[in-house]
Amino acid sequence: MEIIEKVFGVPWVYDLFQIVISGYSFKREILKKYVISSKTTWLLDVGCGTGFCSKMLANEKNVNYIGVDNNFSYIQKATSHKFKNAEFWCTEVQTFLKTINNRKYDLIL
């Protein structure tokens, strides 16, 4: 298990894996259908990884995006996408949920 965690802890390996299993294609379709060109949307991306969704939504002014992942390297890459309506948290999801009590989301990935 430790080797797998080390290998997938590398952002480019994670991205390659997502491409191979069509994980990013699935997310792209969800975003196109439910988020892009919709009314103002609050999106919570649990396990946001390297920020694929934030990269795809970077030009959407009506989207407020929050990405949560416990891998610091992934969060560093995600923040490099420069999506001004994005907020990233490097923490466990349980900790994040305790921190922001009453925020509501339109979509949770």
Side-chain angles (χ1 to χ4, degrees):
M1 190 69 167
E2 196 171 300
I3 292 173
I4 292 172
E5 289 174 0
K6 285 183 181 179
V7 170
F8 280 99
V10 178
W12 71 265
V13 173
Y14 174 84
D15 286 336
L16 179 62
F17 179 73
Q18 289 297 320
I19 291 166
V20 168
I21 67 165
S22 298
Y24 287 156
S25 297
F26 173 74
K27 284 185 174 184
R28 183 178 293 113
E29 292 306 311
I30 294 293
L31 295 175
K32 283 181 184 177
K33 185 172 183 176
Y34 296 106
V35 179
I36 295 175
S37 300
S38 64
K39 295 179 182 176
T40 300
T41 301
W42 281 90
L43 172 63
L44 173 60
D45 191 358
V46 176
C48 67
T50 58
F52 170 80
C53 292
S54 70
K55 183 177 180 181
M56 188 171 171
L57 297 170
N59 295 321
E60 297 295 319
K61 294 177 182 5
N62 63 329
V63 177
N64 299 289
Y65 174 92
I66 297 179
V68 180
D69 204 293
N70 65 351
N71 184 307
F72 182 72
S73 297
Y74 292 178
I75 294 296
Q76 280 186 308
K77 183 170 182 190
T79 58
S80 72
H81 300 308
K82 308 291 187 214
F83 179 21
K84 72 175 188 172
N85 291 346
E87 181 181 327
F88 294 96
W89 290 65
C90 185
T91 187
E92 297 291 330
V93 175
Q94 299 87 336
T95 304
F96 169 77
L97 293 174
K98 289 176 187 175
T99 304
I100 56 153
N101 297 332
N102 296 321
R103 192 176 291 171
K104 300 197 187 296
Y105 299 94
D106 300 303
L107 182 64
I108 299 174
L109 292 174

